[in-house]
């Protein structure tokens, strides 16, 4: 075969072309340079997709072209076991003593005073930080030693002086490097410490000191050097998280998206004459008025952007700096709204969930672009009265656990052939049966294992909700089994409380009953979209801890059933970091979701079966957090009791 002739030149391949920076791409897309630089700084320079989605979200931000700097913070932050203890301590303090100054930021050691950096210098700042940390690699200790300090107005953990000097020298070196680029950073010269509590009432000192035993300064911990930034508009304002969606009725009102953060001035909160406050949305940058109890206070740092996190140990930092740069996976094709929810998922630090060694995440993980609750359409054009649903931080946290109401199949036996004709059309054959039933995709047979509740079951649930409302029981998060009878019960409990349109149901298959009773297969549960089409207010953005598919592939013992429900309970408490929780499930749920949480061992299968027969329909109990853990509490309202009512037989009168 003839040999190939030599070529004088070759066409460069795609791989040899010089790659464009994110800024270059945004400029080619037509964005102005000042906006492109601002978007990259606000998103931690995580890529073009994230920056363009930020620009899309801020398209109506009236201040998008104002200012060219961000406020930056240099912290050393704990992870691992120590962080778990700190998180538990802060939650207990919040429940028993209320908020203090330490709740406004994530657990941290301040290495420098806040400083300003222009948007275009953020990349230079990150690179300089990495180089400086790398030069100090040999001086980093294997374990950072902490000492507990307590006074009448302050509690904290102080880094041993010799080790603190290593951090001070590193920060001073960083300040010198940045000064060459006209970036002014002032290194911390005082003792380096992690604040546990300050600005608290003297009356809480003894209680705080007792809670301090939850924190062991010698616990395992991998510290991280973190660089954060925030929007300068946050200066002098508090950060609050949006609990309920709101569609503006007046031109000066702010549209609210569940999970967004808003910046609110203290004066606006304290001096509001009508319960409405002016705020600025973190998601969009727009400002307007909103009902003050549609939001709840959060740590200011939850709304910050994390630019870089470096492990502060010799081996881990060396591996971090020598390894390839971390890149995010590209997003799959999606609609603009869905892509916005996906891509803006890791800007900041949701301190309420920092119980593992994972990097902080952002509120965008929880943002749901939802429709307004149906009740909004019924409101007058004038501003509606705010909901009485704000979290009382001074009250003990509670978990309410309820069984579903009376079910059709256990009341009437084989009811499906009796109530459905050959065409699958439903006819009410008893006043206690549902008046109507929606069509299921699997037909009437789908109700065989997934029964609805009776009319009495609805009344039971509504009466329970009304009693909870009369006795000022507050519920902020609702999780329920995917069984139709549980979804209906949860809905009508909330209807009794007047909250069925404000509190969405989180469908959690992990709350379904013991799988041993379904050896021939699980029910074909209604999907979230089907439940919504039936009129239920379901949280479409909730990601279940246990999926239906996992239940289908699982065989479990009685102990494993307890473990599954206990796991779901703990997950709900961690995910919903504040406020009270309502769990709606089955008869066993009252025990499986509370027994281990209150310090007891799971029951045996024999004990569980004996227990189930003693749990009436729509039974409900409360579990309350105390200084010593969780305890079962009697409900604040009377129980629900009624007699059996048999059918009238006309033959008796003839």
């Amino acid at each position: 075969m003839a040999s190939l002739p030599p070529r004088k030149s070759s066409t460069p391949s795609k791989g040899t072309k010089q790659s464009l920076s994110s800024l270059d791409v945004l400029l080619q897309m037509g964005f102005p340079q000042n906006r492109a630089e601002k978007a990259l700084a606000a998103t931690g320079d995580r890529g073009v997709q994230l920056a363009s989605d930020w620009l899309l979200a801020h398209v109506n931000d009236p201040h998008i072209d104002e200012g060219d700097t961000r406020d930056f913070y240099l912290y050393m932050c704990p992870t691992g076991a120590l962080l778990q203890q700190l998180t538990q301590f802060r939650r207990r303090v919040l429940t028993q003593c209320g908020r203090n100054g330490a709740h406004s930021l994530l657990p941290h050691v301040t290495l420098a005073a806040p400083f300003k950096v222009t948007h275009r210098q953020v990349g230079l700042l990150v690179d300089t930080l990495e180089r400086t940390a790398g030069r100090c690699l040999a001086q980093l200790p294997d374990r950072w030693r902490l000492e507990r300090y307590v006074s009448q107005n302050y509690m904290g953990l102080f880094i041993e002086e010799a080790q603190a000097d290593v951090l001070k020298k590193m920060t001073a070196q960083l300040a010198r490097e940045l000064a060459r680029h006209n970036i002014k950073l002032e290194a911390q010269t005082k003792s380096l410490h992690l604040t546990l509590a300050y600005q608290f009432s003297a009356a809480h000192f003894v209680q705080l000191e007792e809670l301090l035993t939850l924190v062991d300064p010698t616990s395992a911990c991998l510290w991280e050097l973190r660089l954060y930034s925030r929007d300068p508009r946050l200066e002098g304002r508090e950060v609050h998280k949006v609990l309920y969606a709101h569609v503006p009725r007046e031109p000066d009102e702010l549209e609210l998206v569940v999970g967004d953060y808003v910046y609110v001035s203290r004066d606006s909160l304290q001096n509001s004459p009508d319960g409405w406050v002016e705020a600025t949305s973190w998601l969009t940058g727009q400002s307007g008025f909103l009902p003050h109890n549609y939001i709840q206070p959060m740590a200011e740092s939850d709304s910050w952007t994390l630019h870089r996190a470096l492990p502060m140990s010799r081996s881990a930092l060396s591996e971090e700096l020598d390894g390839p740069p971390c890149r995010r996976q590209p997003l799959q094709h999606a609609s603009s709204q869905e892509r916005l929810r996906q891509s803006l998922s890791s800007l900041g630090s949701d301190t309420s969930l920092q119980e593992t060694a994972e990097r902080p995440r952002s509120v965008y993980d929880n943002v749901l672009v939802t429709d307004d609750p149906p009740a909004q359409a019924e409101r007058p054009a004038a501003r509606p009265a705010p909901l009485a649903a704000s979290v009382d931080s001074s009250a003990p946290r509670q978990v309410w656990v309820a069984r579903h109401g009376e079910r059709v199949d256990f009341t009437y036996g084989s009811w499906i052939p009796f109530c459905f004709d050959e065409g699958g059309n439903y006819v009410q054959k008893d006043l206690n049966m549902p008046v109507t039933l929606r069509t299921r995709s699997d037909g009437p047979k789908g109700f065989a294992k997934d029964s609805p509740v009776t009319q009495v079951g609805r009344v039971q649930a509504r009466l329970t909700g009304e009693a909870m409302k009369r006795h000022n029981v507050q519920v902020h998060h609702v999780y329920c089994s995917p069984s139709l009878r549980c979804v209906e019960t949860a809905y009508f409990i909330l209807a009794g409380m007047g909250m069925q349109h404000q509190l969405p149901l989180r469908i959690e298959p992990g709350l379904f009953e013991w799988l041993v009773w379904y050896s021939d297969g699980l029910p074909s549960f209604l999907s979230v979209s089907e439940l919504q089409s039936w009129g239920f207010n379901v949280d479409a953005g909730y990601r279940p801890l246990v999926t239906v598919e996992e239940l289908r592939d699982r065989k479990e013992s009685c102990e494993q059933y307890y473990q599954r429900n206990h796991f779901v309970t703990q997950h709900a408490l961690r995910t919903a970091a504040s406020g009270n929780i309502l769990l709606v499930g089955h008869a066993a749920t009252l025990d499986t979701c509370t027994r281990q949480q209150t310090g007891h061992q799971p029951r045996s299968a024999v004990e569980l079966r004996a227990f189930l027969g003693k749990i009436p329909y729509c039974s409900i109990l409360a579990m309350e957090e105390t200084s010593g853990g969780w305890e079962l509490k009697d409900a604040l309202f009377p129980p629900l009791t009624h007699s059996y009512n048999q059918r009238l037989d006309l033959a008796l009168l003839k």
Side-chain angles (χ1 to χ4, degrees):
M1 184 175 65
S3 61
L4 295 174
R7 296 186 64 185
K8 293 182 179 180
S9 61
S10 61
T11 302
S13 65
K14 292 182 179 180
T16 61
K17 290 183 179 179
Q18 184 177 4
S19 59
L20 296 176
S21 67
S22 297
L23 178 60
D24 292 333
V25 176
L26 290 172
L27 294 177
Q28 288 186 359
M29 293 170 67
F31 293 110
Q33 181 162 343
N34 66 317
R35 292 191 179 187
E37 290 174 343
K38 192 170 192 174
L40 290 170
T43 58
D45 198 5
R46 306 289 180 88
V48 173
Q49 183 70 75
L50 191 55
S52 60
D53 284 342
W54 186 92
L55 287 164
L56 173 64
H58 285 257
V59 67
N60 294 318
D61 183 350
H63 304 288
I64 191 170
D65 294 318
E66 297 177 8
D68 65 345
T69 64
R70 286 180 68 84
D71 298 334
F72 277 80
Y73 299 82
L74 186 63
Y75 289 163
M76 190 168 79
C77 301
T79 67
L82 179 59
L83 178 59
Q84 292 178 6
Q85 295 174 13
L86 293 171
T87 303
Q88 181 70 5
F89 169 78
R90 288 157 66 100
R91 287 180 177 172
R92 293 281 184 89
V93 170
L94 187 63
T95 301
Q96 300 176 31
C97 306
R99 297 179 68 86
N100 64 64
H103 285 103
S104 62
L105 296 173
L106 77 168
H108 70 280
V109 175
T110 300
L111 300 182
F115 58 104
K116 292 186 179 293
V117 177
T118 63
H119 299 145
R120 65 180 54 186
Q121 288 182 304
V122 173
L124 182 147
L125 170 62
V126 173
D127 292 341
T128 305
L129 177 64
E130 291 180 351
R131 289 198 305 271
T132 305
R135 293 192 189 110
C136 299
L137 190 62
Q139 286 77 43
L140 296 180
D142 293 326
R143 189 179 186 88
W144 296 91
R145 291 186 289 274
L146 304 174
E147 298 176 0
R148 184 182 285 123
Y149 175 84
V150 177
S151 70
Q152 290 297 319
N153 54 14
Y154 179 87
M155 298 180 181
L157 302 176
F158 280 70
I159 297 179
E160 186 184 70
E161 188 173 349
Q163 294 186 342
D165 286 342
V166 174
L167 295 171
K168 292 178 183 178
K169 291 177 181 177
M170 180 190 70
T171 310
Q173 177 63 33
L174 176 63
R176 290 190 293 270
E177 294 287 339
L178 293 176
R180 300 173 183 173
H181 305 282
N182 296 319
I183 298 176
K184 185 178 179 180
L185 180 145
E186 183 180 344
Q188 179 70 275
T189 57
K190 298 179 180 179
S191 298
L192 300 184
H193 56 274
L194 186 153
T195 298
L196 296 173
Y198 75 105
Q199 294 179 347
F200 52 82
S201 169
H204 292 144
F205 175 77
V206 175
Q207 199 168 9
L208 285 169
E209 195 172 24
E210 292 177 356
L211 290 173
L212 201 59
T213 58
L214 294 171
V215 180
D216 179 7
T218 64
S219 297
C221 178
L222 175 61
W223 291 82
E224 289 185 341
L225 179 65
R226 293 184 186 167
L227 180 66
Y228 288 102
S229 75
R230 73 171 188 183
D231 188 330
R233 285 181 286 183
L234 186 51
E235 179 71 32
R237 297 189 180 188
E238 297 180 1
V239 173
H240 288 240
K241 187 174 184 177
V242 176
L243 300 177
Y244 307 103
H246 171 64
V247 174
R249 303 298 188 191
E250 301 290 339
D252 63 346
E253 292 179 10
L254 180 65
E255 181 177 2
L256 297 182
V257 176
V258 177
D260 187 13
Y261 286 162
V262 292
Y263 308 149
V264 190
S265 71
R266 297 181 184 89
D267 288 342
S268 181
L269 288 167
Q270 295 172 359
N271 302 319
S272 171
D274 57 0
W276 286 73
V277 296
E278 188 172 13
T280 300
S281 166
W282 179 66
L283 178 65
T284 66
Q286 295 176 273
S287 299
F289 285 88
L290 54 86
H292 80 274
N293 53 1
Y294 272 42
I295 57 178
Q296 70 177 13
M298 300 294 289
E300 176 189 321
S301 52
D302 283 5
S303 66
W304 292 0
T305 297
L306 176 64
H307 292 265
R308 195 70 170 98
L310 298 170
M312 293 300 287
S313 70
R314 283 193 294 268
S315 58
L317 180 57
S318 176
E319 182 179 347
E320 175 83 13
L321 296 177
D322 292 341
C326 177
R327 299 296 180 195
R328 290 196 164 270
Q329 295 297 320
L331 292 169
Q332 300 299 318
H333 176 72
S335 66
S336 59
Q337 276 195 340
E338 181 63 23
R339 189 175 68 246
L340 182 60
R341 292 201 303 268
Q342 292 176 1
S343 60
L344 296 175
S345 63
S346 57
L347 297 184
S349 57
D350 187 350
T351 57
S352 64
L353 298 178
Q354 289 180 350
E355 296 193 7
T356 68
E358 296 177 0
R359 300 279 165 79
R361 26 177 257 178
S362 157
V363 67
Y364 277 106
D365 282 338
N366 301 320
V367 166
L368 306 175
V369 182
T370 59
D371 293 330
D372 204 35
Q376 290 279 356
E378 303 168 7
R379 291 175 174 170
R383 288 177 181 163
L387 290 173
S390 57
V391 177
D392 182 0
S393 60
S394 63
R397 197 175 188 198
Q398 296 178 328
V399 175
W400 291 82
V401 188
R403 185 194 179 189
H404 58 76
E406 182 183 76
R407 51 193 289 181
V408 171
D409 54 351
F410 280 19
T411 304
Y412 297 100
S414 181
W415 65 285
I416 294 177
F418 183 57
C419 295
F420 288 90
D421 60 22
E422 293 181 355
N425 301 305
Y426 171 77
V427 179
Q428 184 191 37
K429 295 297 183 71
D430 189 284
L431 293 180
N432 190 27
M433 288 183 168
V435 177
T436 60
L437 278 177
R438 298 287 187 94
T439 303
R440 299 178 65 126
S441 59
D442 53 356
K445 68 179 185 298
F447 291 111
K449 290 186 177 181
D450 193 25
S451 172
V453 296
T454 62
Q455 296 288 72
V456 166
R458 296 185 175 197
V459 172
Q460 290 170 327
R462 188 180 287 272
L463 288 174
T464 300
E466 291 173 353
M468 295 172 75
K469 181 178 181 179
R470 285 196 306 272
H471 288 78
N472 298 317
V473 173
Q474 295 293 316
V475 172
H476 308 92
H477 314 278
V478 185
Y479 298 80
C480 69
S481 164
S483 295
L484 177 58
R485 56 190 180 275
C486 298
V487 176
E488 289 181 305
T489 301
Y491 177 85
F492 284 104
I493 288 177
L494 293 179
M497 300 179 72
M499 300 292 290
Q500 74 272 30
H501 299 311
Q502 286 73 37
L503 277 183
L505 307 180
R506 294 176 174 176
I507 307 301
E508 177 50 67
L511 289 174
F512 186 60
E513 53 190 345
W514 190 10
L515 301 182
V516 75
W517 296 320
Y518 293 86
S519 57
D520 58 341
L522 291 180
S524 55
F525 300 115
L526 295 171
S527 67
V528 169
S529 59
E530 287 176 313
L531 290 171
Q532 289 177 323
S533 70
W534 284 32
F536 296 110
N537 182 14
V538 177
D539 186 345
Y542 175 68
R543 290 174 290 183
L545 182 63
V546 180
T547 65
V548 174
E549 289 70 24
E550 289 174 320
L551 290 180
R552 287 198 177 98
D553 297 335
R554 178 181 297 184
K555 294 182 179 180
E556 61 184 5
S557 64
C558 184
E559 182 178 3
Q560 290 170 332
Y561 172 41
Y562 271 88
Q563 294 289 358
R564 167 162 60 88
N565 275 199
H566 177 51
F567 186 41
V568 169
T569 305
Q570 290 184 314
H571 171 75
L573 287 168
R574 288 195 300 268
T575 303
S578 62
N580 298 335
I581 295 172
L582 172 63
L583 305 176
V584 181
H586 308 268
T589 307
L590 277 70
D591 195 50
T592 55
C593 285
T594 62
R595 189 162 181 82
Q596 289 164 276
Q597 194 68 28
T598 54
H600 299 87
Q601 294 297 316
R603 298 181 193 272
S604 67
V606 174
E607 291 172 329
L608 177 61
R609 289 189 176 95
F611 168 84
L612 295 180
K614 303 173 183 178
I615 307 300
Y617 286 126
C618 222
S619 296
I620 189 168
L621 58 79
M623 182 172 60
E624 187 172 277
E625 189 175 24
T626 67
S627 58
W630 288 84
E631 295 180 359
L632 293 180
K633 298 287 185 179
D634 291 330
L636 302 174
F637 43 88
L640 174 62
T641 308
H642 51 81
S643 64
Y644 172 72
N645 190 44
Q646 63 183 15
R647 284 190 169 199
L648 171 64
D649 186 355
L650 286 177
L652 296 174
L653 303 177
K654 294 179 180 179

